[in-house]
C-alpha cells in the first residue's frame, strides 16, 4: 500500500520532537477557533488600496474596527466553548474555563471593551482587566488575537495584496502590530523581504535592508546569527535597538516556518545574547 506523503509540518515535528505538544495545542486551538469565527466581509481591493494610502492599518479605521470588535465579542462564548474540548494541559484548561465563566455573565459591552483594548494594543488596560477578573493574561492575549485573526479573510492576509497596494511600513497593514518574523523571497532583482504579523497573520513587503523595528539602515550596526542545524532560518540582529528578527530564508514551507511558535527554540539564541524579541502577541507593544 502506498503511504500518504508526510506534510511539511509532520516532517518538521519529526526533526523537532520537543515542539510536538506546542504544535498540537496551537493547531487544535486554531481549528476550534476557525470553526467558531467566520471571516468578515472586508472592503474590496481597490478600497483597501485607497485606505492604505493613509498609512493607517485597516482594522484601526473606525467602521471596520467597530464591526470587528462587535463580531469578536459575540463570537467569544462559542469560541471558548469549542476550546473547552481541545486536549490542553490542565492549567490552560482552568484558565480557559475561568474566562468562559466570565464571558457568559459579562455584558456585550464588557466583551467588546476587551477586544477593543486588545486590537488597539492598550496593554495596561488588558493587564488591569486580567488582574481585576483573575484571568490569565497570556490566554487572553493568545486566544483573543486568534479570534481576531480568524475574522480576517485569507486574501487580505496575503503578501500579494499588500505588494500590489504598495504597503511598505514596519507595522501590519491589517491590525497595526509590529512584525514578529520575516521571510526573504527570490524576486527578479535579488531577494525581497516580507514581514509577518503575530496578531492577524498578515504578511507584507518591507525594505530588504535595515532594522524593521527602529529603522536603522547602517549595515555596520547589524549582524546575522545563523542557528546550527536550522539552515532555513537566521536571526537578523540590530545593534542599535538590540532586537532580533527571526527570518525564514527559503520558500515553500511558510506554514511551518512563519509560525512564531514553531521557531520558539530560536528565541533562546536571541535571549542568550541578551537581545529583545518584538511583535509577539504575548508581549506588550512598548
Ligand atoms: Zn496584523
Ligand atoms: Zn533596530
Amino acid at each position: 500500500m502506498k503511504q500518504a506523503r508526510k506534510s511539511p509540518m509532520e516532517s518538521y515535528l519529526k526533526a523537532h520532537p520537543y515542539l510536538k505538544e506546542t504544535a498540537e495545542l496551537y493547531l487544535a486551538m486554531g481549528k476550534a477557533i476557525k470553526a467558531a469565527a467566520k471571516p468578515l466581509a472586508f472592503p474590496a481591493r481597490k478600497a483597501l488600496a485607497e485606505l492604505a494610502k493613509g498609512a493607517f492599518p485597516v482594522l484601526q479605521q473606525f467602521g471596520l474596527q467597530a464591526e470587528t470588535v462587535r463580531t469578536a465579542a459575540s463570537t467569544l462564548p462559542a469560541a471558548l466553548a469549542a476550546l473547552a474540548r481541545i486536549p490542553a494541559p490542565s492549567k490552560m484548561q482552568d484558565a480557559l474555563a475561568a474566562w468562559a465563566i466570565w464571558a457568559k455573565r459579562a455584558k456585550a459591552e464588557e466583551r467588546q471593551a476587551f477586544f477593543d483594548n486588545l486590537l488597539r494594543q492598550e496593554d495596561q488596560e488588558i493587564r488591569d482587566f486580567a488582574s481585576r477578573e483573575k484571568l490569565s493574561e497570556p490566554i487572553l492575549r493568545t486566544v483573543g488575537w486568534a479570534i481576531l485573526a480568524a475574522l480576517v479573510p485569507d486574501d487580505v492576509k496575503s503578501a500579494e495584496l499588500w505588494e500590489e497596494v504598495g504597503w511598505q511600513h514596519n507595522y501590519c497593514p491589517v491590525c497595526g502590530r509590529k512584525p514578529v518574523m520575516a521571510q526573504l523571497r527570490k524576486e527578479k532583482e535579488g531577494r525581497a523581504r516580507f514581514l509577518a504579523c503575530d496578531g492577524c497573520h498578515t504578511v507584507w513587503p518591507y525594505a530588504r535592508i535595515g532594522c524593521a523595528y527602529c529603522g536603522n539602515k547602517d549595515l555596520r550596526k547589524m549582524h546575522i546569527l545563523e542557528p546550527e542545524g536550522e539552515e532555513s532560518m537566521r536571526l537578523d540582529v540590530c545593534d542599535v535597538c538590540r532586537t532580533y528578527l527571526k527570518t525564514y530564508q527559503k520558500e515553500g514551507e511558510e506554514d511551518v516556518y512563519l509560525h512564531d511558535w514553531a521557531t520558539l527554540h530560536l528565541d533562546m539564541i536571541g535571549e542568550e545574547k541578551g537581545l529583545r524579541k518584538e511583535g509577539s502577541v504575548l508581549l506588550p507593544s512598548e
Side-chain angles (χ1 to χ4, degrees), residues 225-245:
L225 292 175
E226 292 190 304
E228 232 172 281
E230 200 78 85
E231 58 199 41
S232 298
M233 297 292 300
R234 69 181 213 198
L235 270 62
D236 286 11
V237 180
C238 173
D239 305 325
V240 175
C241 69
R242 302 287 297 155
T243 57
Y244 64 92
L245 182 60

Side-chain angles (χ1 to χ4, degrees), residues 242-272:
R242 302 287 297 155
T243 57
Y244 64 92
L245 182 60
K246 290 185 286 185
T247 302
Y248 174 41
Q249 37 187 356
K250 290 191 177 163
E251 283 169 67
E253 294 186 359
E254 288 79 2
D255 281 350
V256 175
Y257 286 99
L258 279 189
H259 281 306
D260 184 44
W261 61 258
T263 52
L264 282 179
H265 50 301
L266 301 182
D267 290 305
M268 278 155 65
I269 301 172
E271 215 171 281
E272 268 166 26

